[in-house]
Amino acid sequence: MLFSHCMIVQGASRAAICDLQRNAIHFIPNSFASLFNEGRYLDLSRLNKDIAPASLPTLKEYIDFLYKHELGFSCKHKDKALFSPLSQEWIFPGHITNCILDAEKALYYFDGTFCEQLASLCCNFIEIRFFDQPSLTHIRELFELINQTQIKSVELLIPGYDAGFQNNMLDIAKRNPKLSYVTFYGASENTQYRSETAVIVKCTEIMTSAICCGIIAKNLFVVNIPHYTESLKYNTCLNKKLSIDIQGNIKNCPSMQQSFGNVADTALADVINKPGFKKYWNITKDQINVCKDCELRHICTDCRAYLEDPGNLHSKPLKCGYDPYTCSWEDWSTHPLKQQAIDFYGMRELFVRRG
Amino acid sequence: MLLIQSDHHDASTTEVIDWLLYFGHTAYERLNNKTAVNICSLRIGGNGKPSVKIGSTNVNAVSGYWYRRGYFAPAIATGIETHLKGAYTYLDKEYAYYTFALSDVIAQYDHINSFNDNQVNKLAVLMEAQKAGLEIPDTLVTGNPEELEAFMKEHPRIITKALACSRFKLSIQDNFYFNVSLDTAPFEQSDLEQIKRINQGQFLPSLFQAYVDKKYELRVFYLNGACYSMAIFSQQNEKTKIDFRNYDQHCPNRCVPYNLPGQLQRRIRRLMQKMRLNCGSLDLIYTPEGKYVFLEVNPVGQFQWLSHYCNFDIERSIAQTLLCSHHKII
Ligand code: SF4
């Protein structure tokens, strides 16, 4: 029997066992996956009778594989009912899970009233992305406000061209434990380390606008219970997300076109009840072309802003290079079938700069 | 108004409060760590029920109370503390009655746990558990080496654990102390020999228990009759146990939701009612022979990991329970 947080997800060509407790994925053939009853246990006495003797050694090999990775345990028939399946409910106490705030150099609207608005939405996680270098005074002021609120953690994406600025930022991170993640882009090296309270990432890539978002890559997979359960019913990128682009337009996601008002004159709580704001929240991977055949669909993030076929709401994310039919990864940006969409979103420039 | 007593850093408290806020309830007060009895008042007699004030909050206006962590204690001026150790002990005792009464009065209102639940006596619980029909390990409290020796003859493997507290602070000087933790440990024949040899058989009374073989351990969170249960597979292959660095630091063992048999749930309910506990965490063992053995109940134990590993909605239930009592009053 599989531990109830080890979930089998079948794809077109293979299946994945998502180990939601140890944050790992293991691949198995679909033929093995389909032997599980209710997707969670193997009836060995039956299988030993039903399966052709020639296949038994292979079956044993795969069962050994489960033991080796501690994905399951043996149990008597009558004890099976003691092990309840994991609840499929996504349990989350908030109207908004996270809020992305984009800025050129400053978030001019971020004040006490704005924080209260976030509080009333129970939004406890914010991500701030500066596309140009802000002043240190501004950052310090932001944290003075944030420290007085219920906000639990803040991620910052900030230019890292200047070593002096980087050091000052690290000092700010040290003094403000709510700052849990800092990414310096445009830095001279690619490094990552963990300070006492934060993860500090430096990367050489350059982020000049929201167009840099939406990438699907192996290291971005999330293998845990909250993500998995959310993916069963909701869109893992856009559900309960709120963002404000550099012009102050309130959107579901900063990369999207549709704005629901400007932060200067619109209350956040009003926005989330506007028709259309939640349009993407319930689009699950099971409804998205290609993704619905992918064994990674419940650990993958999504993107509805940049699509392979921009005219189709249910099209696969443009920036995914995975093919679930062949189980292989390719560079999405050079893929011949994606060139039209890349032009549609005006992304050519992005590749030139990055190189 | 809801009153929540806890510690600064208790994440579970914050999560329950997140739910209260999500349900639109902003009227709550959170007391953290030490609540000085100096700011409290207790009124008995006069007209009506005894009443308590904590600071400016009149507990009569409180519709629900959740005791999670933290404590009531006197704030004693440092002068007394450092120079008159005897006086300090005296004051501690003096105020124990006060905190006990305070906690009792607060518990007249709808509540989940109370400060007094910390006082639950492990030995009394074992006796009540047995009465409630739960199986318990054979237990001996003694300071007599012969009794112990006889007990060890009956049980090939035994363990020893603390009678009351498993953690305490050992002060060496005013600003210098050790945090001592006394976890359950096996007690072997050689330990007995050592006691006999070194101490001429003299030792302070201690608790000994027959070791119970486990197929898996069970952790049950109990709230007003409901049991949230989790099985912990702690007996897995030693070899694979080594590399835990990539796994969760807190519990490398597999933890999964568990369906407690109905009869066992009824017995647990009986025990908790008898102990007058409406909430607590229970430890049990499921033996290779298929028996359930009750070990202990921690009235204010951790439940965060149960929710986290089993996708249970414990925090939401606590919030709802508190809000229910709130609506009853209004
Ligand atoms: S096809 Fe790509 S985007 Fe879709 S689920 Fe699979 S990895 Fe994710």
Side-chain angles (χ1 to χ4, degrees):
Chain A
M1 181 158 214
L2 292 177
F3 292 111
S4 51
H5 48 252
C6 292
M7 303 292 185
I8 298 182
V9 183
Q10 281 191 260
S13 319
R14 62 176 176 181
I17 299 181
C18 305
D19 180 344
L20 304 181
Q21 187 181 323
R22 293 183 181 169
N23 321 113
I25 16 177
H26 304 276
F27 296 104
I28 54 170
N30 272 330
S31 55
F32 181 53
S34 54
L35 297 180
F36 284 82
N37 296 324
E38 296 160 26
R40 53 194 302 250
Y41 71 92
L42 294 168
D43 184 341
L44 291 182
S45 55
R46 263 204 92 127
L47 286 177
N48 281 328
K49 267 184 253 151
D50 290 0
I51 280 189
S55 308
L56 283 176
T58 322
L59 177 65
K60 187 176 173 301
E61 234 173 80
Y62 276 104
I63 292 173
D64 288 345
F65 172 85
L66 299 180
Y67 279 123
K68 183 173 153 227
H69 295 283
E70 289 185 349
L71 301 171
F73 60 102
S74 66
C75 108
K76 296 202 185 84
H77 250 296
K78 66 172 177 43
D79 285 352
K80 221 173 55 208
L82 296 172
F83 297 94
S84 11
L86 203 69
S87 153
Q88 308 251 311
E89 189 191 352
W90 180 60
I91 303 172
F92 184 83
H95 306 289
I96 290 294
T97 51
N98 64 331
C99 181
I100 300 185
L101 305 172
D102 279 356
E104 207 68 66
K105 278 166 174 281
L107 288 172
Y108 50 86
Y109 52 81
F110 200 99
D111 59 13
T113 331
F114 182 76
C115 287
E116 276 166 31
Q117 291 198 53
L118 288 180
S120 72
L121 296 172
C122 310
C123 173
N124 294 336
F125 301 94
I126 59 175
E127 184 181 346
I128 307 175
R129 311 191 297 188
F130 288 102
F131 296 120
D132 201 345
Q133 189 168 306
S135 77
L136 290 164
T137 325
H138 180 57
I139 304 279
R140 288 196 189 99
E141 281 165 3
L142 287 180
F143 277 96
E144 260 166 47
L145 279 164
I146 289 168
N147 287 337
Q148 292 164 34
T149 67
Q150 88 301 337
I151 290 170
K152 288 182 186 158
S153 99
V154 181
E155 280 189 40
L156 262 188
L157 192 92
I158 209 160
Y161 313 116
D162 168 353
F165 178 78
Q166 277 189 27
N167 285 336
N168 283 320
M169 275 307 305
L170 293 180
D171 183 58
I172 291 178
K174 215 189 278 167
R175 286 166 204 273
N176 297 283
K178 286 191 181 183
L179 179 51
S180 57
Y181 210 103
V182 186
T183 306
F184 292 109
Y185 62 83
S188 55
E189 50 183 0
N190 285 305
T191 57
Q192 174 167 353
Y193 72 94
R194 192 178 280 274
S195 77
E196 235 165 82
T197 54
V199 175
I200 314 285
V201 177
K202 291 182 194 174
C203 65
T204 51
E205 268 172 67
I206 293 170
M207 320 270 169
T208 44
S209 75
I211 217 168
C212 302
C213 191
I215 293 172
I216 309 288
K218 283 182 218 174
N219 59 349
L220 298 176
F221 288 148
V222 187
V223 198
N224 63 28
I225 293 176
H227 189 91
Y228 180 90
T229 49
E230 187 179 16
S231 81
L232 296 174
K233 275 200 145 161
Y234 308 99
N235 188 283
T236 45
C237 179
L238 298 162
N239 180 40
K240 295 201 178 192
K241 176 184 260 177
L242 181 82
S243 44
I244 301 177
D245 74 7
I246 50 173
Q247 275 94 32
N249 296 314
I250 309 173
K251 300 171 170 182
N252 186 183
C253 143
S255 296
M256 288 183 158
Q257 297 306 315
Q258 197 178 3
S259 160
F260 292 82
N262 196 287
V263 65
D265 52 26
T266 318
L268 299 182
D270 293 343
V271 164
I272 66 165
N273 291 318
K274 280 196 181 170
F277 188 74
K278 299 176 184 170
K279 180 169 150 194
Y280 299 98
W281 289 16
N282 296 315
I283 300 182
T284 66
K285 286 281 191 190
D286 294 317
Q287 300 159 15
I288 296 170
N289 298 338
V290 186
C291 295
K292 65 176 169 229
D293 293 327
C294 178
E295 67 280 9
L296 304 169
R297 64 189 179 275
H298 295 306
I299 55 171
C300 183
T301 49
D302 193 45
C303 174
R304 293 293 93 204
Y306 305 118
L307 303 175
E308 226 170 61
D309 172 2
N312 179 359
L313 202 67
H314 294 103
S315 159
K316 181 189 170 186
L318 171 65
K319 300 184 189 180
C320 166
Y322 184 65
D323 180 345
Y325 306 101
T326 58
C327 307
S328 58
W329 289 88
E330 275 175 48
D331 182 0
W332 63 271
S333 63
T334 53
H335 198 285
L337 294 177
K338 301 213 183 208
Q339 297 311 308
Q340 246 181 352
I342 288 172
D343 282 332
F344 175 87
Y345 293 115
M347 284 177 179
R348 289 275 167 226
E349 202 198 351
L350 184 71
F351 303 121
V352 179
R353 281 208 198 180
R354 240 209 236 166
Chain B
M1 206 346 237
L2 299 173
L3 184 64
I4 297 171
Q5 190 168 7
S6 184
D7 276 354
H8 263 301
H9 297 291
D10 186 62
S12 299
T13 309
T14 311
E15 275 176 53
V16 170
I17 291 174
D18 285 345
W19 281 106
L20 292 176
L21 296 173
Y22 178 74
F23 292 132
H25 187 96
T26 48
Y28 70 90
E29 189 171 327
R30 176 174 176 167
L31 305 171
N32 284 316
N33 304 55
K34 171 167 162 173
T35 300
V37 290
N38 311 42
I39 64 157
C40 301
S41 317
L42 166 68
R43 174 111 186 243
I44 309 170
N47 33 18
K49 283 208 278 187
S51 65
V52 163
K53 263 190 177 179
I54 301 172
S56 56
T57 307
N58 191 333
V59 175
N60 288 342
V62 165
S63 53
Y65 168 64
W66 177 32
Y67 175 77
R68 165 81 192 122
R69 289 282 156 92
Y71 57 101
F72 288 111
I76 301 171
T78 35
I80 305 177
E81 214 173 319
T82 45
H83 302 306
L84 300 164
K85 282 269 171 341
Y88 186 56
T89 320
Y90 162 75
L91 290 172
D92 236 11
K93 249 198 206 156
E94 178 89 351
Y95 288 113
Y97 288 105
Y98 184 31
T99 54
F100 192 83
L102 272 180
S103 169
D104 242 18
V105 172
I106 299 173
Q108 291 172 11
Y109 299 91
D110 273 309
H111 66 284
I112 300 176
N113 287 128
S114 79
F115 176 59
N116 287 342
D117 289 350
N118 284 316
Q119 309 292 329
V120 164
N121 181 334
K122 258 186 213 170
L123 302 174
V125 170
L126 278 176
M127 289 186 256
E128 285 301 341
Q130 199 178 24
K131 274 196 229 156
L134 292 166
E135 189 141 342
I136 57 163
D138 198 358
T139 304
L140 173 75
V141 184
T142 189
N144 178 337
E146 277 121 52
E147 287 291 328
L148 179 56
E149 196 159 13
F151 188 69
M152 290 178 83
K153 287 221 173 78
E154 256 178 83
H155 302 288
R157 291 173 76 188
I158 65 167
I159 56 108
T160 179
K161 62 180 182 182
L163 275 163
C165 272
S166 51
R167 308 228 176 304
F168 67 93
K169 216 189 245 184
L170 191 66
S171 299
I172 305 296
Q173 275 164 12
D174 284 341
N175 292 317
F176 186 64
Y177 61 85
F178 293 103
N179 277 321
V180 183
S181 84
L182 303 161
D183 292 328
T184 304
F187 188 85
E188 323 245 348
Q189 199 63 39
S190 57
D191 296 320
L192 178 67
E193 244 99 78
Q194 199 180 11
I195 287 182
K196 284 197 198 155
R197 205 176 52 241
I198 299 175
N199 296 351
Q200 289 95 37
Q202 299 281 318
F203 65 99
L204 286 171
S206 308
L207 186 149
F208 302 94
Q209 230 166 27
Y211 175 84
V212 185
D213 256 335
K214 43 190 131 162
K215 189 154 181 202
Y216 40 81
E217 294 171 52
L218 295 169
R219 168 65 57 89
V220 181
F221 177 78
Y222 175 97
L223 176 64
N224 288 328
C227 292
Y228 296 82
S229 316
M230 168 169 95
I232 306 167
F233 286 78
S234 50
Q235 299 295 87
Q236 277 170 322
N237 188 343
E238 287 300 322
K239 249 189 278 163
T240 51
K241 256 188 181 175
I242 300 164
D243 195 10
F244 288 139
R245 275 156 303 164
N246 300 324
Y247 304 155
D248 203 302
Q249 297 293 313
H250 288 272
C251 188
N253 298 319
R254 292 294 187 179
C255 301
V256 295
Y258 194 76
N259 256 333
L260 277 192
Q263 190 195 42
L264 187 63
Q265 290 196 35
R266 283 191 293 277
R267 289 176 177 169
I268 288 175
R269 239 169 264 145
R270 212 178 295 156
L271 167 69
M272 295 299 274
Q273 279 161 9
K274 201 69 211 256
M275 299 306 301
R276 297 184 57 217
L277 291 171
N278 55 18
C279 181
S281 295
L282 298 92
D283 289 334
L284 292 97
I285 282 175
Y286 185 74
T287 69
E289 298 77 43
K291 277 194 298 189
Y292 292 95
V293 181
F294 167 85
L295 294 184
E296 59 180 49
V297 51
N298 185 350
V300 291
Q302 286 282 6
F303 52 81
Q304 197 183 11
W305 301 112
L306 264 85
S307 279
H308 182 94
Y309 288 125
C310 302
N311 203 27
F312 288 151
D313 66 340
I314 296 177
E315 292 79 6
R316 182 170 64 192
S317 288
I318 294 178
Q320 280 167 336
T321 308
L322 289 170
L323 288 176
C324 259
S325 46
H326 181 70
H327 292 304
K328 241 179 353 213
I329 300 268
I330 294 171

